[in-house]
Amino acid sequence: MLILGGGVGVRAGRHQVPGIPARLVQTTLPRLVLVPVVFRLVMLAQAVWTAGLTGSSVLWTFAVLHLVPNLAEAVWIFRWSPTGTRLVPAADAGCAVLFVLGATLISPDLAIMSITWTHLMGTVMIWTLLRGAPAGALVVGGAMVLNTVLDPASSLGLFLTLATALVASLALVGLVGASMRFALGFGEQQGRAAERERHRRDVHDTVLQVMESFAIPAPADVLDPAASLDRVRRTARAQAMRIRISLEHEPAEPVGLHQRLRLLAAEMAAEGLRVEVVVQDSGGPDLSEESAMALHDSAREALRNTLKHSGAGRAVVSVEEIGGGVSLTVRDHGAGFDVSDRRRGFGLENSIIARMAEAGGFARIESSPGLGTRVVLLAPSNLGLPVG
């Protein structure tokens, strides 16, 4: 209910509408003024069409005078500022008073009266949308007093017309408020789901992968248990430090894809997988931070799968710039698997395929038993929408 009676918030630049951010209300309600403006212009076209080309010069003068302020208000809607909100309703009401006086004193033509009443309806709607229901009711009362003095016979009809405009404005604001609450609720629900998925993915790609790498048997476990234990400890410390830095600090500046891949190769080498990074060209100097991160994280998941499942000690990561994006391929000559028979796990579906889809790209996984695995990633240089 506050959104119906709280139009004063738009005027003062403050909004206290439960469940709706102030900025959203501030930028949405003024643009609803387009509704009465369009209504006026449609009714103006109808009045001029009814009168035809043989209409009087007074009618055409009123039509032009009615057209100018409405076009000015339409321009204001798309160039809106909080200061302009204070001026438009008052200026619109002033034009309405001049139209009523002019129509009554100069010409009682029905077409001109139709234009005048249409403008009054728009004025009521504008004040209701920008100032709230009390302000709209006050405008209706003022219009009735003025019309009673000038033309008492039409007071009842005018009152019903303006009351209809007031009720329609309240219904419009209520509908917009309900729509905004629904959209915000839906967006929050989707945002929470995306955040849960991101958290699951981060846990899978960091903690779970490291724990599983610890569980992989290695020849050093028997030949040199102390060295093997030291390797586990060093890996655990490195991963703990990496997670702590990611929690406490944001990178000072974006890290390029090539640098990310070099660091990834060093990380994999520490865990026993030798990774060769091949850059076939510039690799997309305009690659966005989101796309670079998606390529890096997906490549890391592919390399960890190589480390865990392929039995290979070497993998190749190649990067190539293509039209509108960057292609990254992870290739190993390990055990491979049957893509059609193997059930895709969380890593393939979420850490690779879903991650690339969120970045506006895609991932293709090719593998056959005994012939190794190839993971092809493609990401656009620039995102049209924010990831997530």
Side-chain angles (χ1 to χ4, degrees):
M1 292 301 295
L2 289 179
I3 196 171
L4 299 180
V8 65
V10 178
R11 178 184 62 200
R14 300 184 303 272
H15 307 275
Q16 297 179 355
V17 182
I20 303 178
R23 181 61 179 172
L24 181 59
V25 178
Q26 185 180 10
T27 56
T28 300
L29 285 184
R31 285 162 174 76
L32 293 180
V33 175
L34 187 62
V35 174
V37 169
V38 172
F39 169 74
R40 285 172 173 173
L41 296 178
V42 171
M43 296 303 295
L44 174 64
Q46 181 184 13
V48 173
W49 177 267
T50 302
L53 297 177
T54 58
S56 65
S57 59
V58 176
L59 171 63
W60 285 102
T61 301
F62 265 88
V64 172
L65 293 177
H66 183 263
L67 183 64
V68 171
N70 282 282
L71 292 179
E73 289 180 16
V75 172
W76 166 81
I77 291 172
F78 296 102
R79 301 176 63 86
W80 172 76
S81 65
T83 303
T85 309
R86 301 185 181 94
L87 303 178
V88 169
D92 189 90
C95 291
V97 172
L98 293 177
F99 284 145
V100 170
L101 292 175
T104 303
L105 301 178
I106 298 176
S107 174
D109 185 90
L110 292 178
I112 295 178
M113 296 301 297
S114 174
I115 296 175
T116 303
W117 282 28
T118 299
H119 193 94
L120 279 174
M121 292 179 67
T123 301
V124 172
M125 297 179 72
I126 289 174
W127 277 80
T128 303
L129 293 173
L130 296 183
R131 300 290 194 267
L138 184 63
V139 173
V140 173
M144 292 308 303
V145 171
L146 179 62
N147 190 77
T148 300
V149 173
L150 299 176
D151 187 10
S154 62
S155 295
L156 179 60
L158 180 61
F159 174 76
L160 295 177
T161 299
L162 299 184
T164 301
L166 177 62
V167 172
S169 300
L170 296 178
L172 177 62
V173 175
L175 179 62
V176 171
S179 300
M180 286 193 294
R181 287 192 177 94
F182 172 80
L184 287 172
F186 181 78
E188 290 175 358
Q189 180 182 7
Q190 295 298 308
R192 286 193 293 268
E195 181 62 22
R196 286 194 299 269
E197 187 64 24
R198 186 195 64 80
H199 177 70
R200 293 176 62 218
R201 182 183 296 160
D202 289 344
V203 171
H204 173 274
D205 294 353
T206 55
V207 178
L208 180 60
Q209 291 283 20
V210 172
M211 296 299 292
E212 289 182 343
S213 69
F214 290 163
I216 298 175
D221 295 345
V222 177
L223 299 177
D224 192 352
S228 181
L229 179 59
D230 182 66
R231 178 183 63 84
V232 170
R233 287 174 174 170
R234 284 188 286 105
T235 302
R237 284 195 297 267
Q239 291 297 323
M241 180 62 69
R242 176 180 175 181
I243 294 175
R244 183 179 299 278
I245 292 175
S246 68
L247 291 175
E248 296 179 353
H249 306 283
E250 291 292 335
E253 59 183 14
V255 180
L257 177 61
H258 297 166
Q259 182 178 354
R260 290 176 185 269
L261 293 179
R262 286 193 292 270
L263 294 175
L264 178 59
E267 177 185 338
M268 291 293 104
E271 299 184 25
L273 179 65
R274 186 163 64 91
V275 178
E276 179 184 358
V277 178
V278 179
V279 179
Q280 300 186 15
D281 45 42
S282 61
D286 297 329
L287 190 67
S288 67
E289 175 70 10
E290 293 80 5
S291 294
M293 185 180 300
L295 287 171
H296 167 269
D297 293 345
S298 298
R300 181 178 60 186
E301 175 63 19
L303 290 171
R304 288 198 177 277
N305 286 336
T306 296
L307 180 65
K308 290 191 299 182
H309 304 301
S310 72
R314 178 178 177 272
V316 177
V317 176
S318 59
V319 183
E320 178 183 5
E321 182 180 2
I322 61 175
V326 172
S327 174
L328 186 150
T329 302
V330 179
R331 182 76 167 92
D332 70 67
H333 295 279
F337 62 93
D338 190 336
V339 178
S340 61
D341 292 341
R342 183 183 177 94
R343 182 180 64 86
R344 288 178 175 175
F346 184 93
L348 292 181
E349 288 290 349
N350 292 273
S351 295
I352 296 181
I353 297 176
R355 174 178 278 131
M356 294 307 303
E358 288 179 0
F362 73 91
R364 185 175 70 251
I365 300 171
E366 304 171 353
S367 184
S368 297
L371 298 179
T373 302
R374 183 169 67 172
V375 178
V376 180
L377 310 173
L378 178 63
S381 296
N382 298 294
L383 295 181
L385 295 173
V387 174

